[in-house]
Amino acid sequence: MMHRILPRAFSSNTARLSRTATASKSTLSQTVQDNDPPLPKMPPFDYAPSPYTGPSAEEILAKRCEFLNPAIFHFFKNPLCLVEGKMQYLFDEKGRRYLDAFGGIATVGCGHSHPEVVDAIVNQTKRLQHSTILYLNPAIADFAEALASKFPGDLKVVFFTNSGTEANELALMMARLYTGCHDVISIRNGYHGNAAGTMGATAQGSYKFNVVQTGVHHALNPDQYRGVFGSDGLKYAKDVDEIVTYGTSGRVAAFISEAIQGVGGIMELAPGYLPAVYNTIRNVGGLCIADEVQSGFARTGSHFWGFEAHGVVPDMVTMAKGIGNGIPLGAVITTPEIAKVLTYRSYFNTFGGNPVCTAAGHAVLRVIEKEELQQNALTVGSYLKQRLNSLKDKYEIIGDVRGRGMMLGIELVTDRLLKTPAKDETLYVMEQMKDMGVLIGKGGFFGNVFRITPPLCFTKEDADFLVDVMDYSLSKM
């Protein structure tokens, strides 16, 4: 039987759960109604947030509406005001605790305010906050060396940026300079940023403005759930051959893709696709760019980088988000030969390689290794995925569970056969889960995919709480 939502039930249930959640604080152990089962109980956490004395959520929202970018949006009817975080938990202005299963959009890997990362930031800030790369400083050099050690082959020259968009912009420019070609191929449903070049490479209409975007061809998405060829990566790869043949001069600058599409709904590329496409691109003189902005830094658990699961070695890798655990930092890593193209003119980035940011990035690498977060992402992520699949067996509205490690997606549909997107239902469940103390994200082209990308310190108890809350929310539909 399909699970559908009536608007009136949506409003009453959300309000009812909101009142209960407010009263029950972080444990959420009270019942919604006398005849309902008890709400799932949040795992204990030995930490108390500092008292908050700042402006109210209403005051902050008013200022945001008046002074900030009007394009900024929020997920919930009443936006959360988050004022403190500790490891996998966040706290609002009233001291209520939330389990963070979104990680600031796959950004917080080590955990909120991880003490070793904080210490690295504070200690470097006390010594030297900024100097530019015109001068020598150990922080940038040490981090570049440590980061390069995480890559195979000749990938060992690092360019630091301030964001993932900026990293992808730089990689695309370098590819065009190196090859002397302008044409770039990316995948439909992919997201690579929202600046001039990356907007062209992004293939989701909702992120594309009516500005000049030239030289980018969008290939069939090797989508194992909705794609025309299922999980046959080689059949999707043929579309790249045809784009080269019919849409270019026969040579291209680059192919860019994520190993797991993040904004696109945690979509893992079909097996066999990347090796075949990389071969095609290199045969026509192009470079292969791996966008690891979301899937990098041990998030997938099975590997440190998402591309490694496909058995390929890119010519360039872009990264951000998890690189700094929330610090604005990004990077491009490539080979010495490709890196030389930027020496033919002046290339400069004032904040790229800032000592505070690179000190934070270096601390992140140390924490991932010291606390074995990659193994934890694999172990707990696999357990969480198994539990989410059990919900799929229970609720017809769940059409697909996918991803790996701490990068998981759950797609909701009103009809499993037709795969009709359940967009309203997705928002409803998110709202209910928030009221019960669990924060998840959403994505996918139709906005009907839950994105679960928590800090890598997530525990099995956290996973159980998340699934129990989702189960409870779905049962109320």
Side-chain angles (χ1 to χ4, degrees):
M1 179 179 179
M2 305 314 298
H3 299 267
R4 300 184 184 276
I5 296 172
L6 297 175
R8 186 172 298 171
F10 178 102
S11 300
S12 62
N13 281 343
T14 301
R16 175 161 48 86
L17 280 168
S18 179
R19 289 192 298 271
T20 302
T22 300
S24 60
K25 289 286 184 180
S26 64
T27 59
L28 300 170
S29 60
Q30 298 182 12
T31 55
V32 176
Q33 290 183 344
D34 291 340
N35 60 341
D36 282 343
L39 289 168
K41 188 173 181 180
M42 188 180 292
F45 188 60
D46 187 18
Y47 179 80
S50 302
Y52 176 72
T53 58
S56 67
E58 292 75 18
E59 291 173 315
I60 295 170
L61 181 59
K63 289 183 180 181
R64 173 163 155 160
C65 292
E66 184 174 0
F67 299 112
L68 288 179
N69 171 10
I72 295 174
F73 60 90
H74 51 80
F75 282 150
F76 306 113
K77 291 183 176 179
N78 297 310
L80 282 175
C81 179
L82 299 173
V83 298
E84 193 167 341
K86 190 67 174 176
M87 301 312 288
Q88 67 269 45
Y89 293 103
L90 290 164
F91 299 87
D92 66 16
E93 82 282 10
K94 296 178 181 178
R96 183 179 170 193
R97 178 161 58 104
Y98 297 86
L99 178 63
D100 183 11
F102 198 25
I105 315 180
T107 296
V108 180
C110 300
H112 292 283
S113 300
H114 190 288
E116 294 189 28
V117 179
V118 170
D119 285 347
I121 294 168
V122 171
N123 291 337
Q124 180 59 55
T125 302
K126 287 179 178 179
R127 291 195 303 272
L128 181 67
Q129 188 172 346
H130 181 69
S131 62
T132 87
I133 54 173
L134 292 172
Y135 308 106
L136 299 182
N137 182 273
I140 181 174
D142 290 346
F143 180 42
E145 180 183 29
L147 189 58
S149 72
K150 294 292 185 181
F151 286 92
D154 212 19
L155 292 168
K156 58 186 179 184
V157 181
V158 182
F159 295 84
F160 286 115
T161 66
N162 305 292
S163 69
T165 292
E166 196 178 64
N168 283 329
E169 285 279 332
L170 178 58
L172 290 171
M173 182 179 74
M174 290 172 67
R176 284 165 165 158
L177 292 172
Y178 180 79
T179 61
C181 297
H182 186 68
D183 287 284
V184 169
I185 300 176
S186 66
I187 303 174
R188 294 174 191 169
N189 199 53
Y191 179 85
H192 301 288
N194 54 11
T198 51
M199 187 179 294
T202 291
Q204 288 201 37
S206 58
Y207 293 98
K208 297 172 78 71
F209 288 90
N210 186 26
V211 297
V212 175
Q213 299 169 48
T214 63
V216 180
H217 309 265
H218 299 126
L220 277 176
N221 183 26
D223 179 344
Q224 300 182 71
Y225 180 60
R226 292 180 176 273
V228 292
F229 301 123
S231 297
D232 193 334
L234 294 180
K235 289 183 178 179
Y236 294 106
K238 290 180 180 178
D239 188 50
V240 175
D241 287 303
E242 295 187 358
I243 287 174
V244 172
T245 300
Y246 296 104
T248 75
S249 64
R251 298 185 66 79
V252 299
F255 169 81
I256 183 171
S257 74
E258 307 158 271
I260 302 178
Q261 294 175 340
V263 174
I266 316 298
M267 188 65 64
E268 194 167 11
L269 307 187
Y273 178 80
L274 279 187
V277 171
Y278 274 31
N279 184 60
T280 295
I281 296 299
R282 285 168 173 157
N283 284 340
V284 295
L287 302 180
C288 300
I289 304 171
D291 181 336
E292 292 287 333
V293 170
Q294 293 197 33
S295 58
F297 292 91
R299 178 157 294 281
T300 64
S302 59
H303 300 83
F304 201 84
W305 307 107
F307 67 80
E308 293 178 295
H310 294 266
V312 297
V313 177
D315 301 297
M316 283 191 275
V317 181
T318 62
M319 65 207 78
K321 291 188 182 290
I323 191 174
N325 204 50
I327 287 288
L329 178 63
V332 178
I333 191 163
T334 188
T335 67
E337 182 182 3
I338 296 170
K340 286 180 182 178
V341 297
L342 290 189
T343 66
Y344 302 149
R345 290 290 188 273
S346 293
Y347 172 79
F348 188 76
N349 186 317
T350 299
F351 296 105
N354 170 275
V356 175
C357 294
T358 49
H362 202 172
V364 166
L365 290 183
R366 291 193 297 266
V367 170
I368 290 174
E369 183 175 353
K370 177 182 176 181
E371 299 184 2
E372 300 181 339
L373 293 182
Q374 181 176 336
Q375 182 59 49
N376 191 66
L378 177 62
T379 301
V380 177
S382 299
Y383 174 76
L384 175 56
K385 187 176 182 180
Q386 180 182 8
R387 286 222 54 199
L388 291 170
N389 271 310
S390 72
L391 289 188
K392 181 184 174 184
D393 295 335
K394 186 176 181 180
Y395 297 103
E396 295 246 344
I397 196 170
I398 298 179
D400 194 30
V401 175
R402 54 181 179 254
R404 61 174 62 201
M406 296 292 190
M407 193 171 183
L408 301 176
I410 302 97
E411 181 157 354
L412 300 191
V413 293
T414 57
D415 187 307
R416 278 193 178 179
L417 182 62
L418 299 176
K419 300 177 181 177
T420 309
K423 185 174 181 178
D424 292 339
E425 292 85 343
T426 300
L427 289 171
Y428 170 74
V429 173
M430 283 184 67
E431 193 85 40
Q432 290 227 36
M433 291 184 68
K434 181 263 292 183
D435 288 340
M436 288 188 282
V438 177
L439 305 180
I440 58 176
K442 73 177 182 71
F445 185 79
F446 303 105
N448 66 317
V449 181
F450 294 134
R451 293 165 67 187
I452 298 178
T453 55
L456 306 188
C457 56
F458 222 59
T459 67
K460 284 188 175 181
E461 290 75 20
D462 296 324
D464 284 332
F465 179 61
L466 184 156
V467 175
D468 290 346
V469 167
M470 186 176 289
D471 187 2
Y472 189 100
S473 300
L474 290 168
S475 73
K476 293 299 175 183
M477 292 169 54

